[in-house]
Amino acid sequence: MVGQRVFTNSFDPNILLSIFTLTTVETSSLNFSVYIVQAKASSSTKRKAQEAYRKFLTQRRYRYFTLWDIDKDGLKELLVTDGREQVGNSPTKAYAYTYTRGKLRYAGEIGSPMSGISYNCITKRLHASWGGCGNVEYWYYTLTKNKKVKQVICGAYVNGVKNGNVQYKCLYNKKKISLKKWKQITNRWIKQTSTLKYYRNTTSNRKKHMKM
């Protein structure tokens, strides 16, 4: 696993408050109504997206790129980065572009200066994380119906002290969960994390690594 631990001001030694490069989540067992789309992109749309992505990479000066299907609709998005700031081997952030309604459109920024970006080798979603002052958030990315980047957050937040013990409020996709459930979810994500591979923006790589 590639990542960088950042220890926060936690008061509970049992809560995991170190930040890791993360990846995706299975939502089938959790009824949190996350927007999920089915694979449906046509071969024609994929071909047009490839052409649009290659043209964009040729015209822009981003040093690295990769493709990833952020919202699982069967069409991969284009992720670009200059790669200047990294956590381990992962760029701290990337910009996502998608092909929709016949055009290349900017979807949003992903990543975190504390964790960078990685993917879950089981669910194939992109992840990042953040922490500070005893609070920690792990999140994965999807796209809204309007094809904009959306974070689905699983967070633990300091919520006072009771009998000398720090209390935490835990939320997953804005729904309250127990600290035990939060640990189960985030520990699973951490174990499944893998490095997201980028390619240098060259003519050869734009031909070789544009598989949809």
Side-chain angles (χ1 to χ4, degrees):
M1 177 177 69
V2 175
Q4 179 177 345
R5 295 189 178 189
V6 178
F7 295 100
T8 61
N9 297 324
S10 171
F11 302 97
D12 184 346
N14 297 314
I15 187 171
L16 182 63
L17 290 179
S18 55
I19 306 304
F20 288 85
T21 303
L22 292 177
T23 50
T24 67
V25 53
E26 292 183 8
T27 58
S28 58
S29 62
L30 298 168
N31 185 21
F32 290 131
S33 301
V34 176
Y35 174 63
I36 299 175
V37 295
Q38 301 296 321
K40 58 186 178 181
S42 67
S43 297
S44 175
T45 298
K46 291 180 180 180
R47 185 172 60 253
K48 291 177 182 178
Q50 284 178 321
E51 294 173 355
Y53 293 167
R54 285 195 181 105
K55 182 178 180 180
F56 176 85
L57 289 171
T58 301
Q59 295 174 342
R60 299 298 179 94
R61 295 184 178 180
Y62 289 109
R63 296 179 63 191
Y64 301 97
F65 75 94
T66 192
L67 299 184
W68 202 266
D69 187 356
I70 298 176
D71 62 349
K72 308 303 175 190
D73 68 346
L75 181 68
K76 293 181 180 180
E77 277 66 51
L78 172 67
L79 305 180
V80 294
T81 180
D82 59 23
R84 293 174 184 171
E85 299 178 359
Q86 297 188 359
V87 177
N89 294 326
S90 173
T92 58
K93 65 181 178 181
Y95 303 101
Y97 290 83
T98 191
Y99 186 82
T100 181
R101 302 190 299 277
K103 292 183 178 181
L104 179 77
R105 300 177 189 272
Y106 178 63
E109 182 179 322
I110 63 175
S112 164
M114 289 189 172
S115 70
I117 309 161
S118 60
Y119 77 96
N120 187 299
C121 60
I122 303 299
T123 58
K124 309 302 181 186
R125 290 194 182 278
L126 299 179
H127 277 249
S129 53
W130 163 91
C133 300
N135 306 310
V136 63
E137 290 182 349
Y138 296 88
W139 57 77
Y140 72 84
Y141 294 93
T142 186
L143 298 180
T144 66
K145 292 181 179 180
N146 294 324
K147 295 297 181 180
K148 295 297 182 181
V149 168
K150 175 185 177 181
Q151 290 177 328
V152 178
I153 300 172
C154 189
Y157 310 95
V158 175
N159 191 36
V161 179
K162 184 176 181 180
N163 298 325
N165 297 315
V166 176
Q167 304 297 299
Y168 292 91
K169 179 180 181 180
C170 299
L171 301 173
Y172 180 35
N173 196 29
K174 300 181 181 180
K175 304 290 184 179
K176 188 174 181 179
I177 60 175
S178 67
L179 179 59
K180 180 180 178 180
K181 174 61 72 174
W182 179 85
K183 289 180 180 179
Q184 290 174 347
I185 294 170
T186 56
N187 283 340
R188 183 172 70 246
W189 291 359
I190 290 168
K191 291 177 181 178
Q192 295 171 345
T193 191
S194 293
T195 302
L196 183 63
K197 184 176 179 63
Y198 292 84
Y199 305 97
R200 190 172 290 276
N201 184 10
T202 65
T203 301
S204 175
N205 283 338
R206 290 194 293 270
K207 294 179 179 178
K208 192 176 182 181
H209 299 292
M210 199 60 67
K211 184 177 180 181
M212 301 297 285

